[in-house]
Amino acid sequence: MKEQIICRDASLGYENMTVASGIDFTVKEGDYLCILGENGSGKSTLIKTILGLKSVESGSIEWCGGLTPDKIGYLPQQTVVQRDFPASVMEIVLSGCLTMGGLRPFYSSGQKQLAQENIERLGIENLSKRCYRELSGGQQQRVLLARALCAASKALLLDEPVTGLDPKAQTDLYELIKDLNKSGITIIMVSHDVNAAVKYASHILHMGHKSQLFFGSCDEYVQSDIGASFIASESLIDSAPEKPKPVSGEGFGAVLAPCVPLAAAAAASAIISGILRSKGRKNKWAR
Amino acid sequence: MGEIIDKLSLYFSYPFVRYALIVGLMIALCSSLLGVTLVLKRFSFIGDGLSHVAFGAISIASVLPVMIKDIAAGVSTSGEVPQSIKKLADLIADANNNYIVLPITLLAAVLLLRPGKNARIKGDAAVAMISVGSLAVGYMLMNRFPSSSNISGDVCSTLFGSTSILTLKREDVRLCLVMAIAVILIFLLFYHKIFAVTFDENFAKATGVRADGYNLLIAVITALIIVLAMNLVGSLLISALIIFPSLSAMRLFKSFRGVILCSAVISVICAGFGIIASILLSTPVGSTIVIADMTVFFLFCIAGKVTKRA
Ligand SMILES: Nc1ncnc2c1ncn2[C@@H]1O[C@H](COP(=O)(O)OP(=O)(O)O)[C@@H](O)[C@H]1O
Ligand SMILES: [Mg+2]
């Protein structure tokens, strides 16, 4: 596999403040790299630096293997769109096809078709004439994703793509990205969801405070100390609401005991209704 | 009614009146096309600043011949102005002011809109400084080296536009038409790129659109339009011509294309109405057009409120 992005001992930062240093990794064609780390550890900064929106403070980030900006799709973490910006969903998604047309002043039918396909992929056909600024956060996220997919012919960079999506849409999105990756598109994704990262990614980059904690394949990450402890801490948080801590005194347990059957019944009915609902709905995302 | 039509047909039998109308409509069209982008990019204040720069440039252009003669007379020992310098001054006086105003305004536009994010906040102050500075220098020059006896008349028509658009010279008309057509062509050719750069500059840059280049292009067309519009409405009212139609259209339309088309239509209709009304009522062209634009803006505001509730 050809190397596409080589990052050697890079330092990232803003003006005179270094955010992270010693970043060192390689992305090969067809890789699925997940970038993990706490808020403020510099994940978005890294993505922006890879894209050339900022320059590296020291070290180097090189693109090779025929990767050029016009073959890349990008989903920013935040898109600051002015409150009163008039733009329809179709116009925005089409703007993702812009660079494949070169200097041609109008969109070709091929570009329009690509936009339409991606709109359908993300299940937003019914929104395509709507005004972007009047959509909900999750709907806006899907529009920007569709735009990113239009632009991604070789690589796709996603900064926290599942933010604002409901759980079903999150799973669908992960599956969609997996399919894209299988079709040969390199994926670089910033995520907070370590479980999904471990499940889908081929490589993990874990950023700590001011420096890189881990880079390697997903299997190595799971076996590493840092990986194991991070996964454990995350799954503890995830499961905490369902499992009350067992050690907390008898009185507490006694109070809770009568509630358990009730809670179980509620949970069961929720699951059943969830299954019924998801059966009734056409699964638009998975292809 | 019949009287009005008689008066109009009399006016329009003169070719220079027809030229004036065409030029006016073209200028209105150009300024509304780019107005949407300027408003959305939060660049409307730059239009204002540039128009003041253009005022300074115009006053330089109009006093330059007088200034050259004055200085030459002061320098030469005999107190006589040498023949060659006299010729140079006359040459400048005959040349179209736009040839001097355009390069200066272009330069200012490129400097103000030059790429570089962190200049944003300082940019505000820079624009204010440049615009007030050019106003002061321009007025000072016009007073110190008066090119005609009616200084306040000159200043007034530079600030608020020719009291009658009919004073446009034939050559002005031709230059205006060429520039207007250039602006419209550039806009049509790069429409989608301008949208992408306006909507999300970072995405555009990341995916290989040369955003800095297009920003520069926007700056250049802005300068062109401002120099153009000076002829019609004068430097103080240009911003109105740029801003009002797009703000009106944004009340009602939700897509970029819809807003651009609507603001172009509004602007052309208001300009046509304003020019004709100014002929009939003998009012100043610039302010008549701007008042028409304002009226439409308030109508669209109300319409926007009504449709939102419905
Ligand atoms: N535009 C900016 N200017 C200056 N500092 C910034 C800017 N954006 C982010 N930072 C700082 O850089 C650090 C990393 O930010 P970011 O890359 O967004 O983190 P993450 O995406 O991992 O949550 C933060 O401490 C933040 O304060
Ligand atoms: Mg981030």
Side-chain angles (χ1 to χ4, degrees), chain A residues 51 53 69-70 72 74 79 81-82 84-87 91-92 98-99 102-105 107 131 133-134 147, chain B residues 40 42 189 191-193 195-196 198-200 202-203 205-209 214 250 253-257 259:
Chain A
L51 287 168
L53 298 174
D70 56 341
I72 276 191
Y74 169 45
T79 306
V81 176
Q82 287 120 31
D84 49 356
F85 201 108
E91 283 175 323
I92 293 171
L98 194 63
T99 39
L103 282 177
R104 194 173 337 108
Y107 289 120
C131 174
R133 64 170 197 261
E134 289 171 356
R147 175 182 71 167
Chain B
L40 289 172
R42 297 291 182 263
L189 285 179
Y191 167 79
H192 290 298
K193 274 105 181 166
F195 169 77
T198 312
F199 179 71
D200 188 347
N202 272 346
F203 178 85
K205 260 188 204 161
T207 55
V209 176
Y214 290 110
M250 278 156 65
F253 285 82
K254 305 280 164 73
S255 71
F256 194 69
R257 187 210 296 248
V259 168

Side-chain angles (χ1 to χ4, degrees), chain A residues 14 17 19 37-46 48 77 159-160 190:
Chain A
Y14 294 91
M17 182 190 74
V19 171
E38 292 165 26
N39 287 333
S41 54
K43 306 181 296 294
S44 302
T45 310
L46 175 60
K48 285 182 200 153
Q77 178 172 20
D159 198 343
E160 304 196 11
V190 171

Side-chain angles (χ1 to χ4, degrees), chain B residues 45-272:
Chain B
F45 67 98
I46 287 183
D48 206 45
L50 283 182
S51 60
H52 295 164
V53 171
F55 170 80
I58 275 208
S59 51
I60 290 179
S62 61
V63 305
L64 208 53
V66 185
M67 211 160 103
I68 290 175
K69 281 184 195 162
D70 268 23
I71 293 173
V75 169
S76 72
T77 43
S78 59
E80 285 273 306
V81 182
Q83 204 58 39
S84 58
I85 293 195
K86 227 178 206 164
K87 248 193 200 143
L88 176 72
D90 290 342
L91 200 71
I92 293 174
D94 284 345
N96 194 314
N97 275 349
N98 282 342
Y99 293 123
I100 297 172
V101 178
L102 194 54
I104 296 183
T105 316
L106 273 179
L107 189 70
V110 171
L111 286 181
L112 288 179
L113 293 179
R114 75 181 175 285
K117 277 265 173 48
N118 40 12
R120 181 68 51 90
I121 298 166
K122 289 178 228 147
D124 270 18
V127 172
M129 255 165 49
I130 291 182
S131 67
V132 179
S134 342
L135 271 182
V137 170
Y139 188 50
M140 172 69 97
L141 284 177
M142 280 182 139
N143 258 289
R144 180 65 188 74
F145 304 101
S147 52
S148 74
S149 52
N150 181 8
I151 300 174
S152 54
D154 283 355
V155 171
C156 194
S157 76
T158 325
L159 285 179
F160 296 104
S162 348
T163 36
S164 161
I165 194 174
L166 308 181
T167 56
L168 285 178
K169 280 185 250 153
R170 196 194 175 89
E171 204 202 337
D172 291 332
V173 173
R174 197 171 306 143
L175 187 65
C176 279
L177 276 184
V178 170
M179 290 204 289
I181 290 171
V183 167
I184 293 170
L185 275 184
I186 292 177
F187 188 83
L188 285 181
L189 285 179
F190 296 106
Y191 167 79
H192 290 298
K193 274 105 181 166
I194 290 177
F195 169 77
V197 172
T198 312
F199 179 71
D200 188 347
E201 197 172 316
N202 272 346
F203 178 85
K205 260 188 204 161
T207 55
V209 176
R210 309 220 0 239
D212 289 342
Y214 290 110
N215 279 334
L216 194 66
L217 187 74
I218 292 174
V220 169
I221 321 182
T222 309
L224 270 181
I225 288 174
I226 280 169
V227 174
L228 269 175
M230 292 259 324
N231 293 313
L232 184 62
V233 295
S235 63
L236 280 189
L237 298 179
I238 288 174
S239 302
L241 209 59
I242 291 179
I243 293 169
F244 272 119
S246 37
L247 284 181
S248 309
M250 278 156 65
R251 299 299 114 191
L252 278 191
F253 285 82
K254 305 280 164 73
S255 71
F256 194 69
R257 187 210 296 248
V259 168
I260 296 238
L261 288 179
C262 175
S263 77
V265 170
I266 293 177
S267 186
V268 168
I269 289 179
C270 286

Side-chain angles (χ1 to χ4, degrees), chain A residues 9 29 36 43 70 74 77 83 100 108 120 126 131 134 136 140 162 202 212 215 222 242 268 271 277 285:
Chain A
D9 196 25
E29 198 179 335
L36 299 171
K43 306 181 296 294
D70 56 341
Y74 169 45
Q77 178 172 20
R83 210 175 47 77
M100 61 177 71
S108 68
E120 282 166 20
N126 52 340
C131 174
E134 289 171 356
S136 77
Q140 290 185 344
V162 297
S202 66
Q212 171 178 329
F215 171 72
V222 175
E242 289 139 38
I271 290 167
R277 229 181 308 138
W285 285 32

